[in-house]
Amino acid sequence: VQLQASGGGLVQAGGSLRLSCAASGRAFSRYNMGWFRQAPGKEREFVAAVSFGGGNTYYADSVKGRFTISRDNTKNTGYLQMNILKPEDTAVYYCAATSEVSNRVDGYSYWGQGTLVTVSS
C-alpha cells in the first residue's frame, strides 16, 4: 500500500489542523493505520493508531484529549485531527500502515513521505 500524507502547515499555539493520509494500492481497509512524528534532532515517536475497521484507537499520552485519529475506508483515507496545538507538537508527521496494530516504529511496514507541522508560540 502506498501512503501520502498532507495537511501540514504553520499554525499558532492553541489552533487546529487536520492531517490526511491517502492510500492507494493494496486494500487500505486490511491495514491498521498509525501516525508518528519526528521533531528536529529527536527520534520518530508514536502519536496515534486506529484499527483496520476504525473501531479501536490508541494515543500517546502527550496527545490524548487533543488529537483524534479516524479513517474512512470508503475513501481510502485516514485522518489526524489536531486541536489545542502546542509548540512542542512541531514535527514532521508521518502516516504508516501495518498488519498488526503497534505503537512501535519498527511495527509498521508502509510509510508515507511526511508532512511538516509548525506550531508558533
Side-chain angles (χ1 to χ4, degrees):
V1 60
Q2 291 79 44
L3 304 172
Q4 184 167 356
S6 62
L10 173 64
V11 63
Q12 289 187 334
S16 299
L17 278 176
R18 188 176 81 155
L19 305 184
S20 297
C21 179
S24 60
R26 297 182 181 181
F28 177 61
S29 60
R30 296 181 182 178
Y31 293 92
N32 303 288
M33 191 192 76
W35 286 94
F36 289 76
R37 66 186 182 187
Q38 188 166 17
K42 295 188 177 181
E43 294 186 351
R44 194 169 299 189
E45 65 175 6
F46 171 75
V47 174
V50 60
S51 58
F52 63 90
N56 295 300
T57 56
Y58 311 85
Y59 296 95
D61 288 342
S62 59
V63 306
K64 201 171 294 183
R66 300 188 297 122
F67 290 11
T68 302
I69 189 171
S70 62
R71 64 191 296 162
D72 185 343
N73 288 339
T74 66
K75 296 181 179 179
N76 286 343
T77 303
Y79 304 97
L80 184 68
Q81 177 67 44
M82 306 186 295
N83 298 328
I84 317 176
L85 283 161
K86 304 176 181 180
E88 52 264 44
D89 294 320
T90 295
V92 176
Y93 283 71
Y94 299 87
C95 59
T98 180
S99 298
E100 298 286 338
V101 68
S102 173
N103 63 358
R104 295 173 55 89
V105 171
D106 60 7
Y108 287 76
S109 301
Y110 305 97
W111 290 85
Q113 85 290 1
T115 184
L116 176 63
V117 172
T118 304
V119 184
S120 63
S121 57

